[in-house]
Amino acid sequence: MLPDRRVRRVHHPAEPVFVDSSGRRRRAFRRFVLVISLVLVCLGLFLAAAMLNSRAPAPPLPTTAGTNP
């Protein structure tokens, strides 16, 4: 017996299956993104402050073999 090769059509409903009319999920997602953003900004500021407050001198840049300093 040969396999069925007909194209099957998928019915797409006109209305969405799930609607969050209360907006609770959106508010929770926005709050989560805000907290993560604040943590990342604080880490970035801490890194920048640590780099600017460093007392160690920068290492010398490498020179090419053919040039004289």
Side-chain angles (χ1 to χ4, degrees):
M1 178 163 215
L2 294 174
D4 186 14
R5 297 189 184 269
R6 291 179 284 182
V7 176
R8 296 180 187 187
R9 296 184 187 267
V10 177
H11 175 69
H12 296 288
E15 296 179 10
V17 176
F18 175 78
V19 177
D20 183 20
S21 59
S22 67
R24 288 178 60 200
R25 288 180 190 244
R26 180 181 174 111
R27 283 193 302 268
F29 180 73
R30 289 182 67 187
R31 194 173 300 132
F32 173 74
V33 169
L34 179 66
V35 168
I36 295 298
S37 299
L38 288 174
V39 168
L40 290 175
V41 165
C42 289
L43 286 173
L45 289 174
F46 180 75
L47 179 65
M51 291 175 73
L52 290 174
N53 197 22
S54 173
R55 299 208 188 278
L61 294 174
T63 58
T64 58
T67 60
N68 293 330

